[in-house]
Amino acid sequence: MMFVPSGDAQVILKGGQEVGELLQKHTGLHFKTSVATSYAAVIEAMGAGKVDIGWLATFGYVLAQEKYGVELLLVVQRFGSPFYRGQIMVRADSGIHSLKDLKGKRFAFVDPASTSGHLYPKTLLLSKGFDPKTFFGKSVFAGSHNAVVLSLYKGEVDGGAAYDGSRAAVAKSYPDVFEKIKVIAYTKEIPNDTVSVRKGLPEDLKWKVRDGLKKISYSSQGSKILKRLYGISGLVDLDGLFDPVREAAKLLNLDLENDVKN
């Protein structure tokens, strides 16, 4: 079972191990857990049959499903909703007040396969007539949502894109983050990230894992672990939620394999 590195890798590693231990109790199965080096690494590992269960970012799931026939088990809920948004942020003292003010500035995305930290913010910029390839003076991939916020906080970039709870995720260590960093734009709603399984995983194992995860999400201990892991408040069954993500990828004419790897 592999997890995406969307936040603090050590926190995710510990949370993943705890989920594996609880799943063992509920299913009798044994789990080896790890955190990937990138979003794409989880997809490739599932495609190669090296990972049975992947906690995939939204676009990562769409890509893995198209490329390798990965199957959806559960969709994450946060604050009782299976949807979230991406946001574009700037330093409050930067003098940047709208998207057009970002022209020629330094900008940080999360990861090529991040929906809220790359795909949807790019779509938003394009819809306003700003081509991200030429609009920014420099753009980088910070690697995680936390890293985007911290790059902004430290003044390493002028603007950044991440999910809508990204400032809250670092507020414990940086209490003034809401004063230092402001949001200037939000993306459309996005279906949340997923728990998915590789193609060909036996049906009985698939349903054991799904039911085990649901039981974990209902328990007080399990819900605390999921909250620490990725801010999860629940897990639900759905796939049609992902059609808008597929449409966004088509709109950008993404070469899915090369754009995510490069």
Side-chain angles (χ1 to χ4, degrees), residues 40 44 67-68 112 256-262:
E44 294 307 316
K67 192 176 176 186
Y68 296 121
L256 298 186
E257 187 168 351
N258 290 327
D259 280 18
V260 169
K261 280 184 177 176
N262 298 330

Side-chain angles (χ1 to χ4, degrees), residues 96-112:
I96 299 169
H97 305 293
S98 65
L99 293 178
K100 71 176 186 296
D101 297 335
L102 284 166
K103 184 174 175 61
K105 303 293 186 184
R106 299 164 300 168
F107 196 87
F109 293 105
V110 173
D111 180 283

Side-chain angles (χ1 to χ4, degrees), residues 124-163:
L124 172 62
L125 287 161
L126 280 170
S127 72
K128 302 296 182 185
F130 309 126
D131 184 349
K133 289 178 182 174
T134 55
F135 183 59
F136 299 118
K138 181 185 180 184
S139 64
V140 298
F141 289 110
S144 73
H145 295 274
N146 292 21
V148 168
V149 177
L150 295 181
S151 289
L152 266 170
Y153 187 90
K154 294 170 184 176
E156 295 167 353
V157 292
D158 305 298
Y163 80 100

Side-chain angles (χ1 to χ4, degrees), residues 4 22 31 33-34 36 40 102 108 111 137 142 144 150 155 162 168 174 180 183 186 193 212 216 222 240 255:
V4 291
L22 281 182
F31 297 86
T33 59
S34 61
L102 284 166
D111 180 283
S144 73
L150 295 181
Y174 301 89
K180 289 275 183 77
V183 178
Y186 288 99
D193 36 315
I216 287 170
D255 177 341

Side-chain angles (χ1 to χ4, degrees), residues 119 126 133 246-256 259:
L119 180 63
L126 280 170
K133 289 178 182 174
R246 295 180 177 104
E247 290 306 313
K250 285 176 188 170
L251 177 66
L252 293 179
N253 293 316
L254 282 183
D255 177 341
L256 298 186
D259 280 18

Side-chain angles (χ1 to χ4, degrees), residues 214-255:
K214 283 175 129 179
K215 283 174 184 170
I216 287 170
S217 73
Y218 299 145
S219 72
S220 58
Q221 182 190 8
S223 62
K224 283 176 189 170
I225 290 169
L226 290 172
K227 179 80 190 245
R228 281 198 306 271
L229 177 63
Y230 288 131
I232 295 168
S233 64
L235 296 163
V236 292
D237 307 290
L238 294 160
D239 178 77
L241 290 173
F242 293 86
D243 288 340
V245 184
R246 295 180 177 104
E247 290 306 313
K250 285 176 188 170
L251 177 66
L252 293 179
N253 293 316
L254 282 183
D255 177 341

